[in-house]
């Protein structure tokens, strides 16, 4: 069981990318959520955004990327997206999506730290050049 993250690539500063996380093979329950994370070179994993898998699709965006990144989902395609705009060189990282409990989608959990997630996809590399 695995999530499939895709859409990474190289882009100039100020550009945009949309990452996709295909969840069809993971059979996610309505009590779950999908989160996006990244790991920059030499740094710890960082939560970016998350969204619940129920009908409401509650979202949470971390302050570090709020205003530039958005999260959305397509139920029919069973895909969660991370739209990234105004990209900066410091956004260069490997980006991951993961599935965990929906409780992480809240101002108190702020999408968690990663340990709350039990299904992870392979990362996709985003490189932003200045």
């Amino acid at each position: 069981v695995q999530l499939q993250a895709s859409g990474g690539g190289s882009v100039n500063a100020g550009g945009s990318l949309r990452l996709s996380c295909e969840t069809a093979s993971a059979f996610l329950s309505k009590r779950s959520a999908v989160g996006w994370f990244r790991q920059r070179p030499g740094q710890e994993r960082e939560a970016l955004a998350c969204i619940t898998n129920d009908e409401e699709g509650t979202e949470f965006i971390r302050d570090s990327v709020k205003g530039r990144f958005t999260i959305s989902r397509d139920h029919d395609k069973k895909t969660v997206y991370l739209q990234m705009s105004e990209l900066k060189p410091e956004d260069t990282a490997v980006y991951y999506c993961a599935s965990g409990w929906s409780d992480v989608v809240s101002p108190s959990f702020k999408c968690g730290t990663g340990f709350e997630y039990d299904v992870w996809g392979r990362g996709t590399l985003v490189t932003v050049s200045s």
Side-chain angles (χ1 to χ4, degrees):
V1 174
Q2 193 173 29
L3 304 179
Q4 298 291 330
S6 62
S10 297
V11 64
N12 291 328
S16 299
L17 278 176
R18 187 178 76 164
L19 306 183
S20 300
C21 178
E22 296 178 16
T23 68
S25 66
F27 300 104
L28 303 182
S29 75
K30 291 186 177 181
R31 291 189 61 192
S32 66
V34 172
W36 280 101
F37 293 78
R38 70 183 175 190
Q39 187 160 19
R40 292 182 275 196
Q43 297 193 27
E44 297 292 321
R45 180 177 57 201
E46 173 189 14
L48 302 172
C50 50
I51 187 167
T52 60
N53 201 42
D54 58 13
E55 288 81 5
E56 294 182 3
T58 304
E59 306 167 12
F60 189 87
I61 308 289
R62 295 290 294 258
D63 287 345
S64 59
V65 295
K66 188 177 290 183
R68 297 192 301 123
F69 292 11
T70 60
I71 189 170
S72 62
R73 64 178 187 178
D74 184 323
H75 258 310
D76 291 338
K77 295 182 179 179
K78 298 187 187 300
T79 302
V80 175
Y81 302 101
L82 183 70
Q83 178 69 48
M84 307 185 296
S85 60
E86 300 176 34
L87 284 164
K88 306 173 183 179
E90 51 264 42
D91 292 319
T92 294
V94 178
Y95 286 72
Y96 301 88
C97 62
S99 172
W101 287 108
S102 59
D103 290 350
V104 297
V105 186
S106 67
S108 33
F109 283 100
K110 300 180 181 179
C111 302
T113 61
F115 295 104
E116 304 85 353
Y117 296 75
D118 56 357
V119 179
W120 289 81
R122 291 196 184 105
T124 185
L125 176 64
V126 172
T127 303
V128 184
S129 55
S130 57

